[in-house]
Amino acid sequence: MYMTIQRRQFLKAGMVVAGGAAAGMLTRSHAATDESTKSSGRPAGEATLALTAEGDLVLASAPSGASSHASDEARRGVPGKKWVMVIDLAACDGCGKCSAACSKSHFVPADREYLRIFKMQDSADTAPYWLPRPCFHCDNPPCARVCPVGATFKRDDGIVLIDNERCIGCRFCMAACPFTARSFNWSRPDNSPAAEAKGYSPEWGYPRRVGTAEKCDFCADMAREGKLPHCSGTCPMGAIYFGDENEDAVTNSKGDTVQLSKLLRDRAGFRYMEDLGTQPRVHYLPPADRRYPAPGERGANTLNASKGATQR
Amino acid sequence: MSAMPWPVDPPALRKLGESHEAVVERDLLATLDPLGRRGRVWIAGLASVVGCALVAWIYQLVHGLRVTDMGNVVSWGTYMTNFVFFIGISHAGTLISAILRVTDAGWRRPITRMAEAITCIALLVGASMVVIDMGRPDRALNLLLHGRFQSPILWDLVSVTTYLTGSFFYLYVAMIPDMPLLAKHAREHGRSPRLVRMYEILSLGYRESPEHRRLLARALGAMAVIIIPVAISVHTVVSWVFGMTLRPGWHSTIFGPYFVIGAIFSGTAALITAMVIFRKAYHLEAYLRPEHFHKLSKILLALSLLYAYFTLSEYLTTWYGGTEIDVRLLALLAGNGTVGAVFWLWATFGLFVPIGLLLFPSKRSMGSIMTASILINIGMWVKRYLIIVPTLETPFIPAQNAGITPHYFPSLIECTITAGAFAGFVLLYILFSRIFPILSIWETAEELEEVEHATVRAPVKMPGRAMPAALPLLLVAVGLSVLSPWTTARAQAPAAPASTTHIDLKRTTEDKEEMLVATVTANGRPVAGAVVVFSVLRKFGTMALGEDQTLSDGTAAVKYPHGLPGDSHGEQTFSIEVRSPPALAVPPVQVILGGAEPVRITPVEVPRALWSTRVPLALVGTIMALLLCVWSTYGFVVSQLVAMYRLPKEG
Ligand code: SF4
Ligand code: SF4
């Protein structure tokens, strides 16, 4: 449950109650936001005050498992936000730590990856590069178009999620996604106790349900709390920026917060396969002036040597 | 194969003094006689294959779809192939029999029921394949609870249901005149009273009277006409499950007609195969005469040429255009690998050889027609497989680039279930022919009578409702920011260092340039030479704006970050830090200033878009209008049957 109190009202109340404390609260709003991120570990129902970057004071109760209105909230998304990702191909050295962090935090089984790193070379004459591919959270998502039951849905904040408690397992979305971003629970999942304890929400997609589709979720729960997604926060090269398009800013693991529009303009950002018209929410910066040995060169990563045995 | 010479004249059927009807009745009712040993062995064999398939399905339900060979890259396989194949051969019935009925081709009569029965049974088997392919068949009800009309699967659900209902009606209506005969025959042969009762109920009190004939003709005529567009829509929609995606080899504008032609093609071949088998098993040589095979084989030839034409036009344009992804698909589909070998085997034995067998009238023997039909049946299953699997093996970003080789080959479970589907199809067909004569008695008699006499949407609108809503807000915000002087905020640093450093921040215009000016005071006096770092707060971090040294009046300034949105009220939280001299250094102080561009407010109302939860009205309107047309015709047919039932009974 979220209750938004206009900051002005809050300020008034604050001045009456304890002016100094209110000022302190304001000046440390960032800390307060961080504080709220810990709320998921608290007992269900305990509320935290959080000042969002937008300046609204938010009364947030800690997520309490898979309650029905948590699911409503998961379907709507964070009001006023438009999450966006920028991946700097010039900085990515294909180390795969993003994918590993993602898989670890989402308890992803070994037969799939939400964030997959491809070794690309567009033509014989052009330079090879690494292409990390999460779900693009397309604004015109073919997967959501074809889902017969609305189990795949697009939220107001731009995230495309899957409700594994509604999905009928037809796999039409997997055929429809041009980027093969989706995976399927082919066998009965082996959910860890930690996953079971957290309770299900489309925002994190576990504990898994057999016979349903899944994919990268942009760490919707983390974004809500003002934390970078696992991939973005882990990348040792700071290659994955994440942010709010409305705020026109993206941040990477090195703590660089840059203006999104300027970054895309200055570095000639592009979206993968724009011609398909899916309007991805993930932008790429071209692999110009690389800071690492190219794939295939000496000293380059060989992360993806062969997954054929475990993944298909 | 029958030893019947080819071609032969229509046989003289009658013993002297017998009426046509008597002969036809005697011969066709004889097909209902108890099965011999061979028949029973067949039924037992087929039933055990179906049994194995059921066990395999239960195993799959327990262990999940892991027991198949499908994976995250090739996510559809044999089950989808079976689905498309069976829906395809279901077109035998309706289309062949309806078209022939509508065009009043007299020779159709002995074969219509066979064709219609293929339709109903193939549809049942095909629909069950979808359920088997589903990861969560237990949630099938979600299709009704949460169904989205934007999804081709919903179109499939609706059209297949409509088609199934329609073809059962069609099959039944055409059987009504036989029912009284069947009841009589069952009674005379001492069959179970329940069977007799069933025939009687199904007969709706039909008897040979002009009034009954008239009502039946009207019902049958309406059914035959409406079932044609329904059948075409069904296979079009099946093709759109593939065609509506963006995948190479699927996203093709000719997919609808390509699939429909393929469906009639394989359906006709299935019909001929069934005719050959029943002709031999039930000794119907006198009724399923060479001329029937001859005529059907001409239709089959026409369809195989059409299918070859569509195939050529599909792959030639793809190949000639030669986009990167198409080239990659074709290299897999028709290249040097296993898939390529299968493709060319199909083209040879599933298309060219049958065409060769059917092309020359002089060579068109029973044997060659039969061979062609069986080759076409196998070939069309393979072709469906070749449409589904290679495309999935060719994603836009090659899986090989991530070290993954997509591969798919049906697993044992998939093969067992597929075998069960085919066995189930044949079994249901045989069982049907045990209860109802597989040739229409009344229509066949009618034909012989005749022979004797002869010898004597709307574009999808995405309403921009957000804009009008956001516009006044924007205007108000801009107005406010113009009216009010630049807000000046004053914030106190936390008590940390003992010194009372104050930072004032304001937005001013200097030399026509908007600046962000911080004034640093310590104990009430301006501080000169302090390094001030300016940044602005964003959701995931602070964005640096620059730094400046304070002048003698304690002010430091950077350019105001134009174009960077504030919150919904146009307010920005700036973070100001004094970095040096160390004596004055304080942790970042956060100051809120108004007057920035307010953040764009995202539309709360979900648009009516293909991807959204709200269906575009034009789409749902079209679907509903089409359904209304079809179902009201069904209603008309039912009304005719009711009228028939209400006619005064005999005597
Ligand atoms: S990348 Fe694929 S799964 Fe993700 S939103 Fe786009 S179409 Fe859907
Ligand atoms: S597999 Fe699930 S999420 Fe995907 S289209 Fe089918 S029902 Fe929707």
Side-chain angles (χ1 to χ4, degrees), chain A residues 134-138 140-144 152 160 173 176-182 215 278:
Chain A
C135 164
F136 289 158
H137 297 270
C138 309
N140 184 13
C143 56
T152 286
V160 174
C173 53
C177 169
F179 312 108
T180 13
R182 292 178 163 245
K215 64 169 185 66
T278 70

Side-chain angles (χ1 to χ4, degrees), chain A residues 28-39 51 225-227:
Chain A
R28 290 207 324 224
S29 74
H30 205 60
T33 316
D34 279 347
E35 191 105 20
S36 73
T37 60
K38 291 177 201 133
S39 64
L51 187 68
E225 295 166 358
K227 274 182 162 181

Side-chain angles (χ1 to χ4, degrees), chain A residues 6-8 26-30 52-56 75 79-83 111-113 116-121 131 133 139-142 144-150 153-154 156 163-172 174-180 182-184 186-188 209-212 222-228 242-249 251 255 257-259 272-273 276 278 304-308 311-312, chain B residues 61-77 79-80 133-137 139-144 146-154 240-242 244-247 250 392 395-408 491-494 536-544 561-569 571 573 588-590 592 599-606 610-613:
Chain A
Q6 294 304 328
R7 189 173 25 68
R8 286 193 190 81
L26 261 182
T27 52
R28 290 207 324 224
S29 74
H30 205 60
T52 66
E54 203 183 291
D56 292 339
R75 277 195 166 253
K81 297 292 174 197
K82 278 278 178 207
W83 307 120
D111 66 344
R112 68 198 84 158
E113 284 163 302
R116 179 164 280 168
I117 298 166
F118 293 87
K119 197 163 103 183
M120 303 296 287
Q121 183 163 19
L131 182 87
R133 187 242 42 212
D139 275 348
N140 184 13
R145 268 185 252 162
V146 301
C147 180
V149 294
F153 56 92
K154 184 160 182 78
D156 292 345
D163 183 348
N164 293 81
E165 293 182 328
R166 186 187 285 188
C167 171
I168 59 169
C170 64
R171 308 192 294 294
F172 198 178
M174 302 180 72
C177 169
F179 312 108
T180 13
R182 292 178 163 245
S183 312
F184 195 71
W186 298 100
S187 46
R188 291 200 177 272
R209 308 281 194 252
V210 66
T212 59
M222 310 258 297
R224 191 188 278 287
E225 295 166 358
K227 274 182 162 181
L228 290 177
F242 190 80
D244 174 13
E245 188 180 311
N246 287 344
E247 258 190 2
D248 199 16
T251 307
T257 300
V258 289
Q259 192 165 0
Y272 196 72
M273 303 207 67
L276 290 179
T278 70
N304 297 302
S306 171
K307 290 179 190 150
Q311 300 195 356
R312 57 197 167 90
Chain B
L61 286 176
V62 171
H63 292 276
L65 286 167
R66 174 179 58 102
V67 301
T68 69
D69 196 47
M70 291 184 279
N72 293 326
V73 180
V74 183
S75 50
W76 279 338
Y79 300 147
M80 270 312 251
D133 187 61
M134 269 163 66
R136 296 302 295 248
R139 292 183 185 166
L141 211 60
N142 280 0
L143 286 168
L144 301 181
H146 305 288
R148 291 174 74 250
F149 275 103
Q150 294 99 313
S151 169
I153 289 194
L154 252 279
W240 284 349
V241 165
F242 306 100
M244 292 295 167
T245 67
L246 297 168
R247 307 293 289 256
W250 288 359
L392 288 171
F396 281 103
I397 316 178
Q400 285 85 350
N401 292 15
I404 295 158
T405 316
H407 64 86
Y408 173 78
Q492 193 158 26
V536 58
L537 241 66
R538 302 281 91 178
K539 178 79 176 172
F540 298 99
T542 46
M543 185 192 294
H562 262 296
L564 200 64
D567 67 6
S568 49
H569 312 292
E571 293 183 338
T573 309
V589 171
Q590 280 163 21
I592 294 166
V599 69
R600 274 167 298 153
I601 292 166
T602 39
V604 179
E605 189 168 358
V606 185
L610 285 175
W611 53 263
S612 82
T613 42

Side-chain angles (χ1 to χ4, degrees), chain A residues 1-277:
Chain A
M1 208 232 316
Y2 268 69
M3 205 168 89
T4 309
I5 304 170
Q6 294 304 328
R7 189 173 25 68
R8 286 193 190 81
Q9 293 165 7
F10 175 78
L11 265 181
K12 260 184 232 151
M15 274 185 283
V16 174
V17 179
M25 182 91 192
L26 261 182
T27 52
R28 290 207 324 224
S29 74
H30 205 60
T33 316
D34 279 347
E35 191 105 20
S36 73
T37 60
K38 291 177 201 133
S39 64
S40 58
R42 294 182 182 185
E46 192 177 314
T48 354
L49 273 179
L51 187 68
T52 66
E54 203 183 291
D56 292 339
L57 193 73
V58 154
L59 186 64
S61 68
S64 53
S67 69
S68 69
H69 66 245
S71 168
D72 278 354
E73 196 175 83
R75 277 195 166 253
R76 258 185 285 113
V78 186
K81 297 292 174 197
K82 278 278 178 207
W83 307 120
V84 65
M85 185 178 275
V86 181
I87 300 179
D88 185 355
L89 299 180
C92 171
D93 70 347
C95 74
K97 296 214 167 75
C98 50
S99 183
C102 165
S103 295
K104 185 157 173 273
S105 58
H106 285 97
F107 307 102
V108 178
D111 66 344
R112 68 198 84 158
E113 284 163 302
Y114 288 177
L115 175 57
R116 179 164 280 168
I117 298 166
F118 293 87
K119 197 163 103 183
M120 303 296 287
Q121 183 163 19
D122 295 339
S123 78
D125 304 327
T126 55
Y129 59 94
W130 299 103
L131 182 87
R133 187 242 42 212
C135 164
F136 289 158
H137 297 270
C138 309
D139 275 348
N140 184 13
C143 56
R145 268 185 252 162
V146 301
C147 180
V149 294
T152 286
F153 56 92
K154 184 160 182 78
R155 316 200 301 179
D156 292 345
D157 61 3
I159 298 188
V160 174
L161 287 184
I162 301 161
D163 183 348
N164 293 81
E165 293 182 328
R166 186 187 285 188
C167 171
I168 59 169
C170 64
R171 308 192 294 294
F172 198 178
C173 53
M174 302 180 72
C177 169
F179 312 108
T180 13
R182 292 178 163 245
S183 312
F184 195 71
N185 286 298
W186 298 100
S187 46
R188 291 200 177 272
D190 192 7
N191 288 312
S192 70
E196 292 284 5
K198 180 146 182 190
Y200 177 80
S201 161
E203 292 201 349
W204 48 87
Y206 57 81
R208 293 188 159 66
R209 308 281 194 252
V210 66
T212 59
E214 62 178 45
K215 64 169 185 66
C216 152
D217 53 21
F218 251 24
C219 292
D221 53 329
M222 310 258 297
R224 191 188 278 287
E225 295 166 358
K227 274 182 162 181
L228 290 177
H230 293 287
C231 54
S232 168
T234 310
C235 176
M237 309 287 278
I240 306 181
Y241 294 82
F242 190 80
D244 174 13
E245 188 180 311
N246 287 344
E247 258 190 2
D248 199 16
V250 285
T251 307
N252 69 0
S253 59
K254 310 216 147 152
D256 298 337
T257 300
V258 289
Q259 192 165 0
L260 172 71
S261 51
K262 190 167 172 324
L263 181 70
L264 295 179
R265 203 179 331 113
D266 294 351
R267 301 271 313 270
F270 68 96
R271 298 190 293 190
Y272 196 72
M273 303 207 67
E274 186 79 67
D275 49 328
L276 290 179

